[in-house]
Amino acid sequence: MEFVINRNDLVKELQTVTGVVEKRATLPILANLLLEATSDGLQVGASDLEITIRGTAPAKVKKQGAVTLPAAKLHEIARGLPDANVSFKLLDRNQVQIMCEKVRYRIGGQPRDEFPKFPEIDDSKGVKLPAGAIREMIARVAFAITTEDPRYSLNGALVRLETGRLTMVATDGHRLAYVSRGLDVKPIEGDEQVIVPKKALAEVQKLTADLSADDTVLFGKVGKQIFFIVGGHRLTSTMLEGNFPRYENVMPEKCGTSFTLATADLANAVRRVALLASDRYGRAVRLDLAQDKLEVSSETEMGDAHEELAIEYGDGEMSIGFNARYLLDFLAAVGTGTVRVELNPGNGTGDAGKAGDKPGQFRPEPAGDLEYRYVVMPMHL
C-alpha cells in the first residue's frame, strides 16, 4: 500500500470518522482505523461493533492495499504535520511510514483481516430525507436521551417515518422531547419505526453539519441494521431492541394555563438562580406565577436566589419546581427567541408552599415548520 494525500484532506477525514472509535475499546483492534488505498482514493473506516462509518478522501494511490492504525495517535500525528502532501507506505510487519516534507514517522499497525467487517448496505432500501431537517430534529431531541437507564430502548431516540411525516422522540423517564415535521417522503416498505442509538444520531448530526438545506441524507433499514448515507460517508448502526414508551400518554392533550416569554430571559434567570440550587435535589428551581409576573427562585442551606420576570398572566397564583438543567437543555435547543410555557390547572395548588405534581410542557413560539414539544416532570420542593 502506498499513497499520497493532502494533509488537510487527511485531517478532515480523520476528524469525521474518529467519533465512532471507542476510547476504551474492549478489543484492541477497535481502537484502530481501517485505511484502504483503492482506485477511488483513500477509504477510512471505524467500528465499535455496533456502529460503523466509512468515508473516502481524495488521494493519489500508487499501490493499493489496506492496514489498520491507532486512531488517536494517527489523528494526533496528522494534526501536527505541515500544510503539505503526506505520503503513506506500508512496510514489512504492518509498519507504516508517514512522511511530510522533512517530517518522518514509522508507526505499527495491525492487518486488515483482524478488523470487523462492514455490514452490506442496499441503497435501494433507502429514503431520501432533507439534511437540514434531520440535523435540526436531532438537535431538538438528542439531549433528552439517557445513557444510564437499564432500559436499553431509552438509550436512543425513536425515529418514525410515515408517508408525509418524520417524527423523533427521546425520553429519560423524567422528561420527553418530541419533534415532528411534514416532509415529502414515502417509506418503501410502509411506515418505519426504529430506535436509533444516541451515538449514531450524534454522528449523523456531525456528518450533516456542513450540508445545505437542499442536500439529502439516505436513510434506510436492512435487517437489524439501519443506515445513513451522507455525502461520501456511510454510517450503519444496530437498532436498539425493546419497546419504546408510549409517548402519546405523556404529552398533555391540553393545557389550561400558558404564557410566553423571551427564551434568553428565562435561560438567564434559571442559570443565575441555579447557582444556589442544591445538587442533592437535582438543582431544582421554583417557578411562582402571580399577576403578570414569574418569579424564579431556589433555596438551600447556603442561601437563596430570586429573579422576577414580567409576563402576561392573570389566572391566579401557581407554583411548580423543575430540574434547572432540564430547562436549560431545552432553552439551548429550542431555536426561537420566545418560548411558550404550558401548565395544567392541576399544577397549581393555590398554596405557594407546594409545588405542582403534573408535567409542564414547553414549546417554541412561533412553532414554525416543526411540531416541537418538551414535557418535563415537576420536582417536589
XYZ file of all heavy atoms in Angstrom, residues 12-91:
588
model
N -9.299 16.260 7.902
C -10.757 16.376 7.831
C -11.419 15.013 7.894
O -12.412 14.816 8.613
C -11.160 17.106 6.550
C -12.655 17.308 6.404
C -12.985 18.060 5.125
C -14.494 18.257 4.976
N -14.836 18.979 3.711
N -10.858 14.043 7.164
C -11.453 12.711 7.151
C -11.296 12.021 8.503
O -12.221 11.361 8.994
C -10.827 11.865 6.047
C -11.514 10.525 5.831
C -12.971 10.673 5.452
O -13.329 11.647 4.749
O -13.772 9.809 5.860
N -10.141 12.175 9.114
C -9.923 11.562 10.423
C -10.863 12.163 11.464
O -11.414 11.450 12.305
C -8.467 11.740 10.858
C -7.418 11.012 10.001
C -6.019 11.299 10.530
C -7.678 9.519 9.964
N -11.060 13.470 11.424
C -11.985 14.114 12.362
C -13.408 13.612 12.169
O -14.175 13.504 13.129
C -11.937 15.632 12.174
C -10.674 16.286 12.689
C -10.625 17.768 12.378
O -11.270 18.250 11.449
N -9.834 18.510 13.148
N -13.754 13.283 10.940
C -15.113 12.837 10.636
C -15.400 11.450 11.177
O -16.495 11.185 11.688
C -15.349 12.857 9.116
O -15.143 14.186 8.628
C -16.767 12.410 8.778
N -14.439 10.544 11.094
C -14.715 9.144 11.427
C -14.283 8.740 12.833
O -14.788 7.735 13.358
C -14.049 8.189 10.411
C -14.524 8.500 9.002
C -12.532 8.264 10.487
N -13.393 9.483 13.479
C -12.861 9.013 14.765
C -13.875 9.071 15.896
O -13.655 8.471 16.952
C -11.612 9.818 15.178
O -11.886 11.222 15.070
C -10.418 9.469 14.314
N -15.004 9.759 15.709
C -16.012 9.802 16.760
C -16.611 8.445 17.065
O -17.127 8.214 18.165
N -16.557 7.527 16.107
C -17.108 6.187 16.310
C -16.161 5.318 17.145
O -16.589 4.383 17.816
C -17.400 5.518 14.946
C -17.749 4.048 15.109
C -18.535 6.253 14.242
N -14.868 5.638 17.122
C -13.877 4.835 17.835
C -14.083 4.956 19.338
O -14.183 6.060 19.884
C -12.447 5.272 17.469
C -11.416 4.440 18.239
C -12.214 5.141 15.970
N -14.158 3.823 20.021
C -14.311 3.823 21.472
C -12.986 4.189 22.137
O -11.926 3.676 21.766
C -14.755 2.436 21.956
C -16.198 2.103 21.624
C -17.189 2.897 22.450
O -16.779 3.507 23.448
O -18.373 2.921 22.081
N -13.051 5.093 23.125
C -11.836 5.487 23.836
C -11.303 4.336 24.684
O -10.101 4.228 24.892
C -12.122 6.710 24.707
C -12.438 7.963 23.899
C -12.677 9.164 24.806
C -12.984 10.409 23.982
N -13.242 11.594 24.845
N -12.209 3.517 25.187
C -11.815 2.350 25.968
C -12.349 1.107 25.276
O -13.286 0.464 25.737
C -12.362 2.455 27.393
C -11.811 3.661 28.161
C -12.408 3.746 29.551
N -11.907 4.905 30.286
C -12.308 5.254 31.507
N -13.242 4.517 32.120
N -11.802 6.318 32.107
N -11.731 0.794 24.167
C -12.207 -0.317 23.343
C -11.998 -1.652 24.046
O -10.955 -1.896 24.657
C -11.478 -0.311 22.004
N -13.013 -2.509 23.960
C -12.915 -3.840 24.570
C -11.958 -4.731 23.796
O -11.333 -5.624 24.362
C -14.300 -4.495 24.630
O -14.872 -4.490 23.303
C -15.224 -3.725 25.568
N -11.836 -4.500 22.501
C -10.890 -5.228 21.654
C -9.861 -4.232 21.124
O -10.243 -3.164 20.622
C -11.617 -5.892 20.482
C -12.669 -6.948 20.830
C -13.387 -7.404 19.560
C -12.039 -8.129 21.548
N -8.580 -4.549 21.208
C -7.545 -3.617 20.755
C -7.738 -3.123 19.323
O -7.494 -1.945 19.030
C -6.257 -4.436 20.895
C -6.560 -5.426 21.972
C -8.003 -5.767 21.804
N -8.217 -3.989 18.430
C -8.375 -3.603 17.031
C -9.409 -2.497 16.860
O -9.354 -1.713 15.899
C -8.766 -4.840 16.171
C -8.618 -4.531 14.673
C -10.170 -5.305 16.501
C -7.212 -4.323 14.232
N -10.361 -2.378 17.806
C -11.398 -1.357 17.703
C -10.873 0.045 17.994
O -11.567 1.032 17.733
C -12.561 -1.680 18.655
C -13.304 -3.000 18.384
C -14.435 -3.178 19.375
C -13.824 -3.036 16.948
N -9.668 0.127 18.535
C -9.038 1.428 18.748
C -8.343 1.913 17.481
O -7.760 3.006 17.465
C -8.035 1.352 19.894
N -8.400 1.116 16.427
C -7.742 1.449 15.163
C -8.727 1.937 14.121
O -9.934 1.685 14.207
C -7.017 0.217 14.601
C -5.733 -0.087 15.357
O -5.491 0.447 16.439
N -4.908 -0.944 14.798
N -8.188 2.620 13.124
C -8.919 2.978 11.921
C -8.449 2.087 10.785
O -7.266 1.722 10.711
C -8.675 4.440 11.541
C -9.215 5.513 12.478
C -8.796 6.889 11.978
C -10.731 5.436 12.591
N -9.363 1.745 9.911
C -9.007 0.974 8.727
C -8.705 1.931 7.582
O -9.547 2.761 7.214
C -10.160 0.049 8.338
C -9.988 -0.704 7.016
C -8.778 -1.639 7.067
C -11.259 -1.478 6.668
N -7.510 1.837 7.028
C -7.100 2.635 5.878
C -6.982 1.718 4.677
O -6.217 0.744 4.712
C -5.757 3.334 6.131
C -5.783 4.679 6.882
C -6.343 4.516 8.284
C -4.382 5.279 6.933
N -7.757 2.014 3.631
C -7.731 1.216 2.411
C -7.446 2.130 1.220
O -8.229 3.045 0.933
C -9.057 0.498 2.200
C -9.368 -0.564 3.241
C -10.663 -1.295 2.949
O -11.739 -0.701 3.154
O -10.606 -2.452 2.514
N -6.319 1.894 0.562
C -5.983 2.644 -0.644
C -6.588 1.927 -1.833
O -6.259 0.764 -2.116
C -4.471 2.751 -0.786
N -7.526 2.585 -2.517
C -8.238 1.972 -3.640
C -8.146 2.873 -4.860
O -7.594 3.978 -4.801
C -9.716 1.739 -3.288
O -10.390 3.012 -3.247
C -9.858 1.050 -1.940
N -8.729 2.428 -5.937
C -8.731 3.231 -7.157
C -9.547 4.505 -6.993
O -9.388 5.458 -7.763
C -9.286 2.403 -8.326
O -10.605 1.939 -8.020
N -10.442 4.534 -5.986
C -11.273 5.719 -5.742
C -10.611 6.720 -4.805
O -11.119 7.824 -4.620
C -12.622 5.297 -5.142
C -13.444 4.466 -6.110
O -13.353 4.714 -7.329
O -14.160 3.564 -5.647
N -9.508 6.350 -4.174
C -8.850 7.224 -3.216
C -8.583 6.479 -1.923
O -8.445 5.251 -1.910
N -8.526 7.218 -0.827
C -8.282 6.612 0.481
C -9.600 6.430 1.220
O -10.296 7.396 1.525
C -7.352 7.490 1.317
C -7.133 7.028 2.763
C -6.398 5.685 2.794
C -6.396 8.072 3.586
N -9.942 5.190 1.508
C -11.121 4.903 2.324
C -10.693 4.740 3.771
O -9.745 4.008 4.066
C -11.822 3.632 1.837
C -12.501 3.777 0.497
C -13.381 2.584 0.167
O -13.465 1.617 0.916
N -14.060 2.655 -0.978
N -11.401 5.433 4.661
C -11.106 5.375 6.094
C -12.353 4.878 6.810
O -13.459 5.389 6.575
C -10.687 6.748 6.645
C -10.300 6.631 8.121
C -9.527 7.325 5.837
N -12.198 3.874 7.669
C -13.341 3.304 8.366
C -13.084 3.110 9.843
O -11.941 2.962 10.281
N -14.173 3.125 10.618
C -14.103 2.899 12.065
C -15.289 2.061 12.478
O -16.349 2.074 11.827
C -14.097 4.224 12.826
N -15.140 1.321 13.585
C -16.219 0.463 14.073
C -16.089 0.268 15.574
O -14.980 0.213 16.107
C -16.170 -0.902 13.376
O -17.093 -1.801 13.955
N -17.232 0.196 16.253
C -17.244 -0.209 17.665
C -18.083 -1.481 17.835
O -18.562 -1.778 18.923
C -17.763 0.913 18.566
C -19.241 1.230 18.346
O -19.876 0.584 17.485
O -19.765 2.120 19.040
N -18.272 -2.194 16.741
C -19.061 -3.428 16.613
C -20.555 -3.157 16.456
O -21.265 -3.966 15.863
C -18.824 -4.389 17.787
C -17.403 -4.948 17.917
C -17.342 -5.930 19.095
C -16.960 -5.639 16.632
N -21.061 -2.046 16.986
C -22.476 -1.717 16.819
C -22.681 -0.615 15.789
O -23.686 -0.592 15.086
C -23.086 -1.302 18.161
C -23.162 -2.431 19.173
C -23.942 -2.047 20.412
O -24.228 -0.842 20.592
O -24.273 -2.946 21.197
N -21.724 0.309 15.723
C -21.800 1.423 14.782
C -20.555 1.405 13.906
O -19.443 1.202 14.403
C -21.905 2.769 15.522
C -23.178 2.802 16.375
C -21.905 3.937 14.537
C -23.275 4.019 17.269
N -20.726 1.595 12.611
C -19.599 1.673 11.694
C -19.732 2.919 10.833
O -20.844 3.415 10.606
C -19.512 0.447 10.761
O -20.570 0.503 9.791
C -19.611 -0.851 11.547
N -18.606 3.405 10.353
C -18.612 4.537 9.437
C -17.469 4.366 8.451
O -16.385 3.896 8.814
C -18.502 5.884 10.188
C -18.655 7.055 9.206
C -17.199 5.980 10.967
C -18.757 8.408 9.885
N -17.716 4.712 7.209
C -16.700 4.675 6.164
C -16.833 5.918 5.293
O -17.942 6.346 4.971
C -16.848 3.441 5.285
C -16.273 2.176 5.862
C -16.291 1.045 4.850
N -17.639 0.655 4.490
C -17.915 -0.240 3.537
N -16.934 -0.786 2.845
N -19.163 -0.570 3.266
N -15.690 6.485 4.939
C -15.682 7.633 4.048
C -14.499 7.540 3.111
O -13.577 6.752 3.326
N -14.515 8.352 2.055
C -13.439 8.354 1.070
C -12.869 9.753 0.941
O -13.619 10.727 0.787
C -13.943 7.876 -0.300
O -14.508 6.563 -0.162
C -12.806 7.824 -1.307
N -11.561 9.856 1.008
C -10.859 11.125 0.843
C -10.041 11.067 -0.439
O -9.515 10.005 -0.804
C -9.945 11.387 2.041
N -9.908 12.182 -1.149
C -9.111 12.180 -2.386
C -7.638 11.899 -2.088
O -7.063 12.462 -1.164
C -9.311 13.594 -2.942
C -9.713 14.420 -1.758
C -10.479 13.505 -0.860
N -7.054 10.991 -2.847
C -5.652 10.636 -2.660
C -5.098 10.071 -3.957
O -5.836 9.484 -4.761
C -5.496 9.612 -1.531
N -3.795 10.249 -4.164
C -3.121 9.668 -5.313
C -2.555 8.322 -4.880
O -1.580 8.252 -4.120
C -2.003 10.590 -5.796
C -1.274 10.073 -7.023
C -0.188 11.038 -7.466
C 0.551 10.503 -8.696
N 1.636 11.444 -9.114
N -3.170 7.243 -5.349
C -2.797 5.900 -4.917
C -1.757 5.324 -5.881
O -2.025 5.177 -7.076
C -4.037 4.982 -4.833
C -3.617 3.569 -4.467
C -5.028 5.531 -3.814
N -0.611 5.007 -5.329
C 0.449 4.395 -6.125
C 0.362 2.867 -6.062
O 0.706 2.181 -7.018
C 1.809 4.862 -5.622
C 2.024 6.372 -5.748
C 3.397 6.779 -5.219
C 3.608 8.287 -5.346
N 4.943 8.709 -4.828
N -0.071 2.354 -4.946
C -0.205 0.911 -4.773
C -1.364 0.639 -3.821
O -1.403 1.156 -2.704
C 1.096 0.317 -4.212
C 1.083 -1.207 -4.126
C 2.416 -1.741 -3.619
C 2.408 -3.264 -3.541
N 3.724 -3.789 -3.038
N -2.312 -0.155 -4.279
C -3.479 -0.434 -3.452
C -3.120 -1.391 -2.321
O -2.194 -2.186 -2.418
C -4.599 -1.023 -4.309
C -5.112 -0.071 -5.380
C -6.313 -0.616 -6.118
O -7.032 -1.475 -5.613
N -6.556 -0.103 -7.329
N -3.891 -1.301 -1.248
C -3.664 -2.154 -0.093
C -4.410 -1.617 1.108
O -5.141 -0.628 1.027
N -4.266 -2.282 2.257
C -5.000 -1.894 3.458
C -4.208 -2.225 4.709
O -3.396 -3.165 4.717
C -6.364 -2.584 3.499
N -4.459 -1.453 5.762
C -3.838 -1.685 7.061
C -4.681 -0.939 8.087
O -5.472 -0.046 7.735
C -2.369 -1.168 7.083
C -2.339 0.367 7.054
C -1.606 -1.711 8.292
N -4.567 -1.292 9.355
C -5.236 -0.541 10.413
C -4.182 0.113 11.289
O -3.147 -0.480 11.587
C -6.145 -1.436 11.286
O -5.336 -2.243 12.142
C -7.031 -2.319 10.424
N -4.474 1.366 11.699
C -3.538 2.137 12.516
C -4.277 2.710 13.715
O -5.487 2.981 13.642
C -2.922 3.278 11.705
C -1.995 2.881 10.548
C -1.552 4.128 9.785
C -0.789 2.106 11.056
N -3.570 2.942 14.843
C -4.208 3.513 16.036
C -4.847 4.863 15.729
O -4.175 5.790 15.269
C -3.053 3.651 17.015
C -2.026 2.673 16.556
C -2.153 2.630 15.062
N -6.146 4.964 15.977
C -6.899 6.157 15.585
C -6.403 7.418 16.278
O -6.148 8.444 15.625
C -8.382 5.937 15.892
N -6.287 7.374 17.597
C -5.916 8.572 18.344
C -4.528 9.063 17.954
O -4.304 10.265 17.750
C -5.991 8.295 19.840
N -3.578 8.157 17.830
C -2.211 8.551 17.509
C -2.110 9.064 16.081
O -1.413 10.052 15.808
C -1.262 7.365 17.733
C 0.208 7.724 17.589
C 0.602 8.851 18.548
C 0.446 8.453 20.014
N 0.878 9.538 20.927
N -2.806 8.406 15.148
C -2.773 8.857 13.760
C -3.372 10.257 13.634
O -2.829 11.112 12.917
C -3.543 7.875 12.882
C -3.619 8.223 11.386
C -2.233 8.300 10.779
C -4.484 7.206 10.645
N -4.470 10.503 14.330
C -5.102 11.824 14.294
C -4.165 12.878 14.879
O -4.032 13.985 14.343
C -6.419 11.782 15.077
C -7.290 12.962 14.842
N -8.377 13.271 15.630
C -7.232 13.939 13.901
C -8.946 14.372 15.193
N -8.280 14.801 14.141
N -3.500 12.539 15.967
C -2.564 13.462 16.606
C -1.390 13.786 15.671
O -0.972 14.939 15.563
C -2.052 12.842 17.908
C -1.232 13.772 18.759
C -0.809 13.122 20.068
O -1.177 11.948 20.302
O -0.103 13.775 20.850
N -0.866 12.771 15.008
C 0.233 12.980 14.060
C -0.213 13.880 12.907
O 0.480 14.837 12.525
C 0.736 11.625 13.525
C 1.489 10.867 14.620
C 1.632 11.823 12.301
C 1.880 9.453 14.234
N -1.380 13.587 12.330
C -1.863 14.339 11.171
C -2.066 15.812 11.499
O -1.714 16.695 10.702
C -3.166 13.718 10.660
N -2.620 16.094 12.667
C -2.855 17.489 13.042
C -1.553 18.267 13.211
O -1.516 19.480 13.030
C -3.666 17.553 14.336
C -5.144 17.198 14.150
C -5.915 17.336 15.443
N -5.390 16.438 16.473
C -5.830 16.413 17.722
N -6.774 17.257 18.114
N -5.318 15.553 18.587
N -0.474 17.573 13.581
C 0.793 18.249 13.802
C 1.656 18.394 12.577
O 2.720 19.036 12.635
N 1.232 17.829 11.437
C 2.049 17.895 10.227
C 1.958 19.260 9.549
O 0.970 19.985 9.703
C 1.579 16.811 9.245
C 1.858 15.356 9.641
C 1.205 14.414 8.644
C 3.351 15.087 9.755
N 2.982 19.602 8.765
C 2.916 20.841 7.978
C 1.792 20.774 6.950
O 1.327 19.687 6.580
C 4.292 20.886 7.283
C 5.164 19.948 8.039
C 4.252 18.887 8.600
N 1.380 21.933 6.456
C 0.321 22.000 5.457
C 0.917 21.659 4.092
O 1.293 22.539 3.309
C -0.293 23.397 5.451
C -1.509 23.478 4.537
O -1.891 22.435 3.974
O -2.060 24.586 4.383
N 1.018 20.360 3.817
C 1.638 19.875 2.583
C 1.112 18.478 2.298
O 0.260 17.965 3.033
C 3.161 19.872 2.718
N 1.603 17.857 1.246
C 1.202 16.490 0.933
C 1.858 15.506 1.890
O 3.001 15.702 2.330
C 1.575 16.136 -0.502
C 0.657 16.801 -1.514
O -0.474 17.162 -1.192
N 1.152 16.975 -2.728
N 1.128 14.432 2.214
C 1.603 13.408 3.140
C 1.643 12.078 2.402
O 0.675 11.708 1.727
C 0.670 13.292 4.364
C 1.267 12.335 5.395
C 0.398 14.655 4.979
N 2.756 11.370 2.520
C 2.870 10.072 1.868
C 2.822 8.954 2.901
O 3.400 9.057 3.983
C 4.169 9.976 1.060
O 5.297 10.018 1.911
N 2.086 7.900 2.570
C 1.977 6.701 3.403
C 2.537 5.528 2.610
O 2.224 5.373 1.416
C 0.516 6.409 3.749
C -0.069 7.290 4.817
C -0.354 8.630 4.551
C -0.349 6.788 6.084
C -0.905 9.444 5.528
C -0.903 7.596 7.071
C -1.177 8.933 6.798
N 3.309 4.698 3.271
C 3.841 3.499 2.624
C 3.858 2.351 3.614
O 4.398 2.474 4.706
C 5.261 3.758 2.103
C 5.831 2.582 1.298
C 7.195 2.931 0.720
C 7.736 1.780 -0.127
N 9.062 2.107 -0.715
N 3.222 1.250 3.228
C 3.167 0.074 4.082
C 4.464 -0.718 3.950
O 4.874 -1.113 2.848
C 1.975 -0.802 3.691
C 1.776 -2.093 4.487
C 1.557 -1.804 5.967
C 0.587 -2.887 3.915
N 5.144 -0.951 5.078
C 6.395 -1.691 5.119
C 6.136 -3.115 5.605
O 4.989 -3.543 5.712
C 7.387 -0.964 6.034
C 7.606 0.529 5.732
C 8.514 1.154 6.775
C 8.159 0.733 4.327
